[in-house]
Amino acid sequence: MALIDKVFKRILELDGNPRNRGDYGGKAYIRHCMEDHNGQVPLWVLANDLSFGQTVWFFQVQSPAVRLAVAESFTGLYADTHDGPRRITIKRLDSIFNRLVFYRNLRAHDERCYCARYDGRANENVYQAIGDLGYLLDKDDYLELFGRFSALVARATSAMPSRRQAILSAMGVRERELADRAEIILRS
């Protein structure tokens, strides 16, 4: 069974949507590629139907050579938008993607994110997930995201000053770390 067939089977297994019944989930544009282009579905076409979790799974089932090429691509993108290079490995991407899928799913199901711990580990917290995005976003977008995140944290801790340290601790943030990280981002 070709990888693309495995991907579609997996997508359909995970998606209970009745409109996705039939060959290739009833998606005319996917059916067109599969039938008229010898089963060749461009990744940009496939990505239209993948959730974030499915996209991560798709990355994780690729050959080591493809996974390395993706990691090297992220390394290059990082270097293009930041002042210094940062090597992004397959292992790092796996960790980042798994953590981001975890927090995305929590948020999608209206769960609390600020105090959740991925895999139950203390260092796997929402602050780490925010930091992970610095590897994937260009510098300007990450600065904007981090600024909004910092402002949100400031509003929450200002509204509940007696709970400030508990909130920061639950998120995995040390007292001075927000301001320090903003300066580091600006210098990177």
Side-chain angles (χ1 to χ4, degrees):
M1 177 181 275
L3 178 61
I4 197 72
D5 292 324
K6 290 178 185 176
V7 169
F8 283 115
K9 185 175 186 319
R10 174 74 182 237
I11 290 169
L12 297 177
E13 285 172 358
L14 297 176
D15 184 0
N17 190 330
R19 76 179 184 352
N20 288 344
R21 292 193 180 115
D23 288 345
Y24 314 115
K27 310 289 185 184
Y29 55 92
I30 294 176
R31 188 178 313 103
H32 166 76
C33 291
M34 294 299 290
E35 293 172 357
D36 296 346
H37 298 285
N38 198 26
Q40 300 297 312
V41 180
L43 187 55
W44 63 268
V45 171
L46 178 62
N48 287 322
D49 260 358
L50 295 177
S51 69
F52 184 60
Q54 290 165 337
T55 303
V56 168
W57 175 82
F58 187 71
F59 168 74
Q60 291 173 339
V61 298
Q62 296 302 306
S63 69
V66 169
R67 289 165 48 85
L68 180 61
V70 171
E72 288 173 346
S73 178
F74 274 108
T75 297
L77 290 169
Y78 186 93
D80 288 347
T81 64
H82 293 74
D83 295 335
R86 175 173 266 172
R87 185 165 179 262
I88 301 171
T89 64
I90 294 169
K91 184 177 177 181
R92 183 174 299 248
L93 274 182
D94 279 337
S95 294
I96 289 170
F97 289 159
N98 288 331
R99 204 169 11 257
L100 292 177
V101 165
F102 172 77
Y103 283 102
R104 180 262 168 220
N105 288 342
L106 283 178
R107 185 62 208 113
H109 297 285
D110 290 328
E111 299 289 334
R112 287 185 311 214
C113 291
Y114 85 96
C115 61
R117 298 282 192 249
Y118 174 69
D119 247 3
R121 294 182 289 209
N123 65 334
E124 298 282 345
N125 51 55
V126 71
Y127 190 63
Q128 177 64 45
I130 295 293
D132 289 342
L133 290 169
Y135 289 93
L136 307 179
L137 299 174
D138 70 37
K139 184 177 178 177
D140 291 338
D141 288 344
Y142 185 65
L143 275 170
E144 182 178 342
L145 170 80
F146 193 78
R148 289 180 180 199
F149 172 76
S150 297
L152 179 65
V153 170
R155 281 195 311 274
T157 55
S158 295
M160 299 176 278
S162 66
R163 302 285 303 146
R164 176 182 173 75
Q165 192 52 50
I167 292 169
L168 293 175
S169 178
M171 293 173 58
V173 180
R174 282 179 243 121
E175 189 67 37
R176 181 74 193 130
E177 207 163 10
L178 288 173
D180 289 347
R181 182 171 280 190
E183 283 185 36
I184 290 168
I185 296 166
L186 285 171
R187 288 191 309 247
S188 70

mmCIF file of all heavy atoms in Angstrom, residues 76-95:
data_model
loop_
_atom_site.group_PDB
_atom_site.id
_atom_site.type_symbol
_atom_site.label_atom_id
_atom_site.label_comp_id
_atom_site.label_asym_id
_atom_site.label_seq_id
_atom_site.Cartn_x
_atom_site.Cartn_y
_atom_site.Cartn_z
ATOM 1 N N GLY A 76 17.108 26.502 7.707
ATOM 2 C CA GLY A 76 17.341 27.567 6.733
ATOM 3 C C GLY A 76 16.370 28.726 6.897
ATOM 4 O O GLY A 76 16.764 29.898 6.831
ATOM 5 N N LEU A 77 15.106 28.417 7.129
ATOM 6 C CA LEU A 77 14.106 29.473 7.336
ATOM 7 C C LEU A 77 14.435 30.295 8.576
ATOM 8 O O LEU A 77 14.297 31.519 8.579
ATOM 9 C CB LEU A 77 12.707 28.875 7.454
ATOM 10 C CG LEU A 77 12.120 28.295 6.172
ATOM 11 C CD1 LEU A 77 10.855 27.502 6.474
ATOM 12 C CD2 LEU A 77 11.840 29.378 5.154
ATOM 13 N N TYR A 78 14.887 29.610 9.623
ATOM 14 C CA TYR A 78 15.264 30.316 10.848
ATOM 15 C C TYR A 78 16.426 31.272 10.559
ATOM 16 O O TYR A 78 16.393 32.437 10.935
ATOM 17 C CB TYR A 78 15.640 29.325 11.943
ATOM 18 C CG TYR A 78 15.907 29.987 13.274
ATOM 19 C CD1 TYR A 78 14.892 30.123 14.207
ATOM 20 C CD2 TYR A 78 17.169 30.504 13.586
ATOM 21 C CE1 TYR A 78 15.118 30.748 15.421
ATOM 22 C CE2 TYR A 78 17.403 31.134 14.791
ATOM 23 C CZ TYR A 78 16.383 31.249 15.707
ATOM 24 O OH TYR A 78 16.605 31.882 16.906
ATOM 25 N N ALA A 79 17.435 30.767 9.872
ATOM 26 C CA ALA A 79 18.614 31.591 9.571
ATOM 27 C C ALA A 79 18.250 32.794 8.696
ATOM 28 O O ALA A 79 18.828 33.870 8.856
ATOM 29 C CB ALA A 79 19.679 30.741 8.883
ATOM 30 N N ASP A 80 17.277 32.613 7.810
ATOM 31 C CA ASP A 80 16.871 33.709 6.916
ATOM 32 C C ASP A 80 16.172 34.847 7.649
ATOM 33 O O ASP A 80 16.197 35.976 7.175
ATOM 34 C CB ASP A 80 15.926 33.187 5.825
ATOM 35 C CG ASP A 80 16.637 32.339 4.787
ATOM 36 O OD1 ASP A 80 17.884 32.342 4.759
ATOM 37 O OD2 ASP A 80 15.929 31.659 4.014
ATOM 38 N N THR A 81 15.530 34.552 8.768
ATOM 39 C CA THR A 81 14.738 35.589 9.435
ATOM 40 C C THR A 81 15.285 35.994 10.794
ATOM 41 O O THR A 81 14.693 36.835 11.464
ATOM 42 C CB THR A 81 13.265 35.130 9.600
ATOM 43 O OG1 THR A 81 13.221 33.986 10.455
ATOM 44 C CG2 THR A 81 12.637 34.814 8.253
ATOM 45 N N HIS A 82 16.375 35.396 11.205
ATOM 46 C CA HIS A 82 17.001 35.740 12.481
ATOM 47 C C HIS A 82 18.444 36.153 12.224
ATOM 48 O O HIS A 82 19.004 35.853 11.180
ATOM 49 C CB HIS A 82 16.949 34.551 13.447
ATOM 50 C CG HIS A 82 15.572 34.187 13.894
ATOM 51 N ND1 HIS A 82 14.666 33.548 13.077
ATOM 52 C CD2 HIS A 82 14.936 34.387 15.057
ATOM 53 C CE1 HIS A 82 13.541 33.373 13.731
ATOM 54 N NE2 HIS A 82 13.669 33.867 14.931
ATOM 55 N N ASP A 83 19.026 36.818 13.186
ATOM 56 C CA ASP A 83 20.393 37.307 13.017
ATOM 57 C C ASP A 83 21.441 36.207 13.118
ATOM 58 O O ASP A 83 22.546 36.363 12.615
ATOM 59 C CB ASP A 83 20.692 38.403 14.048
ATOM 60 C CG ASP A 83 19.819 39.624 13.815
ATOM 61 O OD1 ASP A 83 19.368 39.827 12.668
ATOM 62 O OD2 ASP A 83 19.576 40.369 14.780
ATOM 63 N N GLY A 84 21.110 35.105 13.760
ATOM 64 C CA GLY A 84 22.062 34.015 13.914
ATOM 65 C C GLY A 84 21.430 32.690 13.555
ATOM 66 O O GLY A 84 20.215 32.535 13.612
ATOM 67 N N PRO A 85 22.233 31.716 13.179
ATOM 68 C CA PRO A 85 21.689 30.400 12.825
ATOM 69 C C PRO A 85 21.316 29.599 14.073
ATOM 70 O O PRO A 85 21.809 29.849 15.162
ATOM 71 C CB PRO A 85 22.841 29.730 12.073
ATOM 72 C CG PRO A 85 24.063 30.367 12.647
ATOM 73 C CD PRO A 85 23.684 31.775 13.018
ATOM 74 N N ARG A 86 20.443 28.654 13.887
ATOM 75 C CA ARG A 86 20.073 27.724 14.946
ATOM 76 C C ARG A 86 19.739 26.403 14.261
ATOM 77 O O ARG A 86 18.866 26.352 13.413
ATOM 78 C CB ARG A 86 18.864 28.238 15.719
ATOM 79 C CG ARG A 86 18.377 27.252 16.759
ATOM 80 C CD ARG A 86 17.297 27.858 17.597
ATOM 81 N NE ARG A 86 17.930 28.421 18.770
ATOM 82 C CZ ARG A 86 17.312 29.159 19.652
ATOM 83 N NH1 ARG A 86 16.058 29.466 19.497
ATOM 84 N NH2 ARG A 86 17.931 29.613 20.715
ATOM 85 N N ARG A 87 20.457 25.364 14.603
ATOM 86 C CA ARG A 87 20.235 24.058 13.985
ATOM 87 C C ARG A 87 18.966 23.432 14.564
ATOM 88 O O ARG A 87 18.825 23.298 15.777
ATOM 89 C CB ARG A 87 21.427 23.147 14.225
ATOM 90 C CG ARG A 87 21.303 21.833 13.496
ATOM 91 C CD ARG A 87 22.632 21.098 13.438
ATOM 92 N NE ARG A 87 22.458 19.849 12.748
ATOM 93 C CZ ARG A 87 22.289 18.686 13.371
ATOM 94 N NH1 ARG A 87 22.316 18.615 14.677
ATOM 95 N NH2 ARG A 87 22.127 17.595 12.673
ATOM 96 N N ILE A 88 18.081 23.070 13.680
ATOM 97 C CA ILE A 88 16.828 22.432 14.085
ATOM 98 C C ILE A 88 16.890 20.992 13.599
ATOM 99 O O ILE A 88 16.932 20.725 12.400
ATOM 100 C CB ILE A 88 15.613 23.191 13.509
ATOM 101 C CG1 ILE A 88 15.641 24.641 14.000
ATOM 102 C CG2 ILE A 88 14.316 22.495 13.902
ATOM 103 C CD1 ILE A 88 14.640 25.554 13.358
ATOM 104 N N THR A 89 16.923 20.066 14.541
ATOM 105 C CA THR A 89 17.086 18.647 14.235
ATOM 106 C C THR A 89 15.731 17.953 14.118
ATOM 107 O O THR A 89 14.699 18.488 14.522
ATOM 108 C CB THR A 89 17.899 17.953 15.338
ATOM 109 O OG1 THR A 89 17.135 18.012 16.554
ATOM 110 C CG2 THR A 89 19.267 18.603 15.545
ATOM 111 N N ILE A 90 15.757 16.739 13.604
ATOM 112 C CA ILE A 90 14.541 15.918 13.532
ATOM 113 C C ILE A 90 13.998 15.691 14.934
ATOM 114 O O ILE A 90 12.786 15.811 15.174
ATOM 115 C CB ILE A 90 14.843 14.567 12.847
ATOM 116 C CG1 ILE A 90 15.226 14.769 11.390
ATOM 117 C CG2 ILE A 90 13.654 13.622 12.977
ATOM 118 C CD1 ILE A 90 15.782 13.526 10.722
ATOM 119 N N LYS A 91 14.875 15.371 15.857
ATOM 120 C CA LYS A 91 14.451 15.120 17.239
ATOM 121 C C LYS A 91 13.779 16.356 17.836
ATOM 122 O O LYS A 91 12.746 16.263 18.493
ATOM 123 C CB LYS A 91 15.661 14.710 18.085
ATOM 124 C CG LYS A 91 15.318 14.336 19.499
ATOM 125 C CD LYS A 91 16.555 13.873 20.257
ATOM 126 C CE LYS A 91 16.196 13.563 21.689
ATOM 127 N NZ LYS A 91 17.356 13.143 22.462
ATOM 128 N N ARG A 92 14.351 17.525 17.581
ATOM 129 C CA ARG A 92 13.764 18.765 18.095
ATOM 130 C C ARG A 92 12.399 19.007 17.458
ATOM 131 O O ARG A 92 11.448 19.374 18.131
ATOM 132 C CB ARG A 92 14.670 19.956 17.854
ATOM 133 C CG ARG A 92 14.095 21.242 18.460
ATOM 134 C CD ARG A 92 15.055 22.390 18.351
ATOM 135 N NE ARG A 92 16.274 22.115 19.067
ATOM 136 C CZ ARG A 92 16.658 22.745 20.163
ATOM 137 N NH1 ARG A 92 15.928 23.695 20.666
ATOM 138 N NH2 ARG A 92 17.797 22.443 20.750
ATOM 139 N N LEU A 93 12.296 18.798 16.137
ATOM 140 C CA LEU A 93 11.004 18.972 15.470
ATOM 141 C C LEU A 93 9.961 18.022 16.035
ATOM 142 O O LEU A 93 8.814 18.420 16.254
ATOM 143 C CB LEU A 93 11.136 18.764 13.962
ATOM 144 C CG LEU A 93 11.555 19.958 13.128
ATOM 145 C CD1 LEU A 93 11.597 19.591 11.654
ATOM 146 C CD2 LEU A 93 10.668 21.151 13.350
ATOM 147 N N ASP A 94 10.335 16.768 16.256
ATOM 148 C CA ASP A 94 9.392 15.815 16.852
ATOM 149 C C ASP A 94 8.889 16.318 18.204
ATOM 150 O O ASP A 94 7.685 16.292 18.482
ATOM 151 C CB ASP A 94 10.035 14.432 17.033
ATOM 152 C CG ASP A 94 10.053 13.611 15.755
ATOM 153 O OD1 ASP A 94 9.226 13.873 14.856
ATOM 154 O OD2 ASP A 94 10.901 12.701 15.661
ATOM 155 N N SER A 95 9.810 16.780 19.037
ATOM 156 C CA SER A 95 9.420 17.299 20.357
ATOM 157 C C SER A 95 8.510 18.517 20.229
ATOM 158 O O SER A 95 7.492 18.619 20.907
ATOM 159 C CB SER A 95 10.657 17.688 21.167
ATOM 160 O OG SER A 95 11.418 16.560 21.477
#
